[in-house]
Amino acid sequence: MADQALLKEFEAVVGADNVMSAESDTHAYSYDAAVLDSVAPAVVVRPTETEQLGQITALCNKHGLPLTVRGAGTNLSGGTIPSKGGVVVLTGALNKVIELNTDDLYAIVQPGVVTAKFAADVAAKGLFYPPDPGSQAVSTLGGNVAENAGGLRGLKYGVTKDYLMGISFFDVDGNLVKSGSRTVKCVTGYNLPGLMTASEGTLGVFNELTLKLIPPPQAAQSMMAVFDDVQAASKTVSAIIAAKILPATLEFMDNFTIRTVDNFRKAGLPTDAAALLLIEVDGHPAQVAEEAEKVEKICSEHGARSVDVARDADHRAKVWQARRDALPALANLKPTCVLEDATVPRSKIPAMMQALDRISKEFKLTIGTFGHAGDGNLHPTILTDKRNHDEWVRVEKAIDAIFDEALAMGGTLSGEHGIGMAKAKYMEQETSRATIEFSRRMKKSLDPKGILNPGKIISALLD
Ligand SMILES: Cc1cc2nc3c(=O)[nH]c(=O)nc-3n(C[C@H](O)[C@H](O)[C@H](O)COP(=O)(O)OP(=O)(O)OC[C@H]3O[C@@H](n4cnc5c(N)ncnc54)[C@H](O)[C@@H]3O)c2cc1C
């Protein structure tokens, strides 16, 4: 139970209705989408004006209270699991699109704007905001920046960092820091938008984001290539890129995932296929026609049993819905679903698929794999029950093995879900001791009391 005097201080900033300390409330914000133990905060605060974010941050710093900002809590790395006795700050009410500029192609938004709603507002003005995490229906733009979220279109259009032109955020003392610009070019000072991207709430609290918008492609063509052999599908991914074609989207699903998704929504997928590639090319209509033809040819030459081209918008939507259903469908199967996002150079996808097959056999686990194959960003998803102790020990060993393999192939711990608490222990393995020390010095100078989202990224390694 939080100290009454402290609660009054928070109430003075956001009003009594926006300060919650009952167990039912604190419990609701004690966990996120990651499979980690929950930790209840002492108090949950819901600012309704962005200035209040700064006042709350200053208050937490004054009292040495750990502060965890929470968008939708969909991160898969424990980034929003609070510290015991700490404060959770909800950004849901900070959901205004402040400016949507169709002349200079940018938007200024508050951090709690929901990604899909923003993309729809932008589309209604005839423009395009490409980053589309699978969670976009609920995820927030602040959370997207703090995790550097990617999505199905990452291959051609890049990820959130490629669209962050400017940011304003509160430092740990509640002072407003501004960096970046509404202009296409801006080299005024340090690249603080870059530093804040993927910072997971550990360096500052975002107040406003300036996001780049682009013209939408004039045409698009989606295809589903069906394979009887996983290795053939994996090799096709590299072959398409090597042919200098950059599809907007190039996604992979293995047989287990195909069957699970089909069972989930009766999507009419070829359940006997070993693997599917879902491919979309977009751009000028003539370029789309030419690239679609080339992609079809490459798929066939690499052993695709069939390549189904989407007939119309409905058919196209159905294909992409099937892909977006992959995680919810798999998560439905067992009480615990561990989704990883180990990422390898694209040419190593065939080797990574072999390694995942070996790991699932070695540790006797069910692993469904799908993901952004064009980015080398696979999502091996382990289906288990955390209450089964023996199996859980094998799951933990399998996760270690997955990261060992990805790093040995020149890959990375996270393509898009961040490090959070879940992967902090592997950080040195990918980087170096000096990298951890450098990050640690930076964190200590910006947040001397270590109140900003402790325990995440490198914080686990602080004294
Ligand atoms: C079904 C599902 C599908 C997903 N698909 C994808 C995908 O395709 N691609 C992808 O990249 N991710 C995906 N994710 C992961 C997740 O949705 C993204 O990381 C997303 O960006 C998190 O947004 P959020 O609003 O939920 O942030 P949260 O989970 O609430 O927070 C994430 C981090 O951001 C920090 N944060 C939030 N707001 C602020 C702020 N204002 N200032 C400072 N720090 C802040 C938090 O403290 C935390 O560390 C998926 C998750 C699920 C559950």
Side-chain angles (χ1 to χ4, degrees):
M1 180 67 192
D3 175 71
Q4 288 304 316
L6 194 63
L7 290 180
K8 290 272 172 253
E9 287 198 63
F10 284 116
E11 285 174 14
V13 178
V14 295
D17 287 351
N18 291 311
V19 178
M20 295 157 267
S21 60
E23 200 185 330
S24 52
D25 292 319
T26 56
H27 179 74
Y29 299 105
S30 64
Y31 59 91
D32 59 25
V35 184
L36 292 167
D37 294 339
S38 59
V39 180
V43 54
V44 179
V45 187
R46 185 175 171 273
T48 51
E49 306 289 337
T50 51
E51 300 75 46
Q52 296 167 354
L53 279 174
Q55 294 166 280
I56 294 164
T57 308
L59 201 53
C60 288
N61 196 37
K62 183 176 96 178
H63 293 291
L65 290 172
L67 179 164
T68 300
V69 189
R70 184 180 175 106
T74 62
N75 74 90
L76 291 156
S77 49
T80 40
I81 296 184
S83 298
K84 195 168 166 38
V87 179
V88 166
V89 178
L90 306 178
T91 61
L94 308 174
N95 57 8
K96 292 191 188 65
V97 175
I98 295 163
E99 183 183 356
L100 209 164
N101 191 308
T102 54
D103 291 332
D104 290 324
L105 305 192
Y106 68 82
I108 300 181
V109 300
Q110 292 184 338
V113 173
V114 169
T115 317
K117 175 167 186 317
F118 175 64
D121 287 358
V122 169
K125 297 275 185 192
L127 289 169
F128 186 30
Y129 179 71
D132 59 341
S135 52
Q136 62 178 348
V138 291
S139 77
T140 65
L141 292 168
N144 292 173
V145 170
E147 297 284 344
N148 193 15
L152 269 62
R153 302 188 190 111
L155 175 56
K156 180 168 178 178
Y157 291 101
V159 297
T160 304
K161 73 173 177 194
D162 301 306
Y163 295 86
L164 184 66
M165 295 166 70
I167 193 165
S168 71
F169 61 90
F170 292 103
D171 71 11
V172 78
D173 296 309
N175 300 311
L176 191 61
V177 181
K178 294 181 180 186
S179 181
S181 173
R182 294 169 164 80
T183 55
V184 173
K185 294 176 174 174
C186 170
V187 275
T188 306
Y190 290 121
N191 180 7
L192 299 185
L195 181 65
M196 286 295 139
T197 305
S199 64
E200 302 187 23
T202 63
L203 299 177
V205 176
F206 310 159
N207 166 69
E208 275 179 19
L209 311 164
T210 304
L211 300 171
K212 180 166 83 178
L213 309 175
I214 61 171
Q218 291 172 32
Q221 181 66 68
S222 302
M223 288 157 275
M224 184 199 289
V226 183
F227 290 86
D228 291 324
D229 176 49
V230 173
Q231 284 299 305
S234 314
K235 286 178 186 158
T236 306
V237 173
S238 316
I240 291 171
I241 310 284
K244 302 188 178 52
I245 297 169
L246 210 50
T249 308
L250 177 38
E251 299 284 311
F252 172 91
M253 283 163 95
D254 71 358
N255 173 267
F256 187 77
T257 311
I258 298 166
R259 282 187 288 121
T260 308
V261 168
D262 200 63
N263 211 17
F264 185 70
R265 203 188 280 269
K266 304 283 170 259
L269 298 177
T271 49
D272 60 336
L276 290 183
L277 290 182
L278 306 175
I279 308 160
E280 180 163 302
V281 288
D282 70 1
H284 185 277
Q287 179 199 351
V288 168
E290 190 186 318
E291 289 192 342
E293 198 182 311
K294 277 190 190 163
V295 168
E296 257 190 273
K297 193 161 172 271
I298 294 169
C299 290
S300 302
E301 282 169 2
H302 283 77
R305 171 169 102 197
S306 62
V307 183
D308 303 333
V309 176
R311 294 179 297 278
D312 49 35
D314 276 359
H315 190 199
R316 175 179 174 234
K318 211 171 159 190
V319 169
W320 292 117
Q321 187 58 47
R323 166 59 185 87
R324 289 190 194 283
D325 282 342
L327 178 54
L330 288 169
N332 237 8
L333 287 185
K334 287 271 190 114
T336 314
C337 162
V338 183
L339 176 92
E340 288 304 349
D341 78 325
T343 302
V344 293
R346 298 181 273 232
S347 59
K348 297 286 191 296
I349 291 226
M352 192 63 189
M353 288 307 301
Q354 272 174 344
L356 290 170
D357 190 40
R358 201 188 59 246
I359 291 167
S360 79
K361 288 188 180 119
E362 183 180 339
F363 296 99
K364 300 186 190 62
L365 294 168
T366 305
I367 305 182
T369 298
F370 63 96
H372 318 295
D375 305 331
N377 184 191
L378 293 173
H379 291 313
T381 304
I382 307 176
L383 303 172
T384 179
D385 182 346
K386 205 176 172 189
R387 293 163 300 187
N388 178 339
H389 177 74
D390 291 348
E391 186 165 281
W392 187 248
V393 170
R394 282 187 275 120
V395 169
E396 291 189 312
K397 287 188 179 150
I399 295 171
D400 290 348
I402 290 172
F403 289 127
D404 285 347
E405 288 287 353
L407 295 182
M409 290 178 199
T412 182
L413 295 170
S414 174
E416 54 181 20
H417 296 161
I419 298 298
M421 298 169 82
K423 288 179 251 179
K425 65 178 176 178
Y426 304 111
M427 275 289 284
E428 193 176 338
Q429 193 181 342
E430 175 171 343
T431 59
S432 68
R433 189 69 218 163
T435 313
I436 305 292
E437 291 297 341
F438 183 89
S439 309
R440 169 192 163 122
R441 286 201 300 279
M442 186 175 73
K443 166 81 175 160
K444 273 207 162 173
S445 66
L446 294 176
D447 176 19
K449 295 184 188 171
I451 64 137
L452 293 176
N453 214 9
K456 318 297 166 9
I457 314 180
I458 46 109
S459 308
L461 303 168
L462 291 177
D463 291 333

